[in-house]
């Protein structure tokens, strides 16, 4: 094997190791951020916003959509191992899908247009897509699962929504006035933070471009 080939193989190996280390680091940061949850006045207490998608989206922009999915998966897996589950894993799967629905569209658009405009368009598209996916999963998967897990009918969850917003009187209005604004707000805040910090921290990931 020639010196040039060996150098290329070694460089490729170092790049893979570096990527794995960065995925692990960002996953760990995401797990820590999951611990800091902020209640919202327009949604029941079990809807609390966190910023764990910030390092996931940073990883997506720096290393591509596949790395972002890996970070999201490790984040959910580590949180599951640390805190367990109240939904037999269904909530964790749904959260994984909702998280990916934000970061993957954003990363795909940014991958083909690596400009400030591309980042903004990507994050806007991801926010809208996450809101739609979040509404569907909450209506048909998460809320029914939580109702079973907590031993209460769906109407009981709806009443918890009514207590904070009198416009909520059914599952549909619960999704429209609690779930949708929750996901929109989270997507906007996560996108804003990443927009403000990415350029400053991106040199850390320059070996992956």
């Amino acid at each position: 094997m020639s010196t040039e080939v060996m150098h290329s193989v070694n460089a490729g190996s170092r790049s893979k190791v570096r990527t794995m280390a960065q995925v692990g680091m960002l996953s760990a940061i995401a797990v820590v951020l999951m611990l800091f949850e902020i209640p919202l006045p327009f949604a029941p207490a079990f809807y609390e916003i966190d910023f764990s998608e910030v390092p996931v989206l940073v990883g997506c922009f720096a290393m591509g959509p596949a790395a972002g999915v890996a970070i999201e998966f490790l984040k959910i897996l580590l949180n599951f191992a640390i805190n367990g589950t109240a939904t037999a894993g269904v909530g964790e799967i749904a959260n994984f899908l909702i998280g990916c629905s934000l970061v993957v569209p954003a990363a795909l658009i940014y991958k083909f247009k690596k400009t400030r405009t591309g980042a903004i368009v990507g994050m806007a598209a991801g926010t809208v897509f996450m809101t739609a996916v979040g509404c569907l999963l909450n209506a048909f998967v998460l809320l029914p699962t939580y109702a079973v897990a907590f031993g209460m009918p769906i109407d009981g969850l709806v009443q918890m929504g009514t207590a904070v917003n009198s416009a909520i009187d059914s599952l549909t209005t619960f999704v429209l006035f609690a779930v949708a604004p929750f996901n929109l707000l989270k997507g906007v805040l996560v996108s804003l933070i990443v927009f403000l910090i990415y350029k400053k921290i991106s040199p850390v990931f320059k070996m992956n471009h």
Side-chain angles (χ1 to χ4, degrees):
M1 184 179 291
S2 69
T3 303
E4 290 183 359
V5 172
M6 289 181 65
H7 178 75
S8 178
V9 170
N10 289 335
S13 298
R14 286 195 298 271
S15 179
K16 288 180 181 179
V17 171
R18 183 182 177 88
T19 297
M20 290 173 63
Q22 290 174 348
V23 166
M25 175 191 69
L26 291 170
S27 300
I29 294 171
V31 172
V32 172
L33 289 176
M34 287 186 79
L35 301 176
F36 300 95
E37 297 179 317
I38 304 170
L40 299 171
F42 58 80
F46 53 89
Y47 282 100
E48 294 181 313
I49 197 166
D50 67 70
F51 297 101
S52 60
E53 254 64 58
V54 169
V56 182
L57 187 52
V58 167
C60 266
F61 280 173
M63 296 175 282
V69 171
I71 297 167
E72 184 74 32
F73 177 77
L74 284 175
K75 180 195 81 171
I76 297 296
L77 186 64
L78 288 170
N79 184 66
F80 177 85
I82 295 169
N83 298 315
T85 179
T87 60
V90 175
E92 284 69 29
I93 293 172
N95 287 336
F96 170 76
L97 294 175
I98 292 171
C100 287
S101 68
L102 168 65
V103 301
V104 171
L108 286 172
I109 292 173
Y110 182 71
K111 182 178 180 179
F112 292 103
K113 190 174 179 63
K114 290 190 175 182
T115 63
R116 177 175 295 186
T117 300
I120 293 172
V121 171
M123 291 186 292
T127 297
V128 172
F129 190 58
M130 180 181 72
T131 301
V133 171
C135 287
L136 290 173
L137 286 177
N138 272 270
F140 298 108
V141 179
L142 277 178
L143 291 174
T145 301
Y146 286 146
V148 172
F150 298 136
M152 66 170 66
I154 289 288
D155 288 345
L157 294 177
V158 171
Q159 288 171 9
M160 293 176 69
T162 306
V164 297
N165 185 348
S166 60
I168 297 175
D169 57 9
S170 65
L171 181 59
T172 300
T173 53
F174 188 105
V175 170
L176 288 176
F177 298 133
V179 177
F182 171 84
N183 283 290
L184 274 173
L185 180 62
K186 181 172 183 176
V188 169
L189 291 177
V190 167
S191 298
L192 179 61
I193 293 171
V194 172
F195 181 76
L196 292 174
I197 69 172
Y198 183 71
K199 190 170 183 178
K200 295 180 177 64
I201 66 174
S202 60
V204 176
F205 305 95
K206 63 183 179 180
M207 292 292 291
N208 293 95
H209 286 283

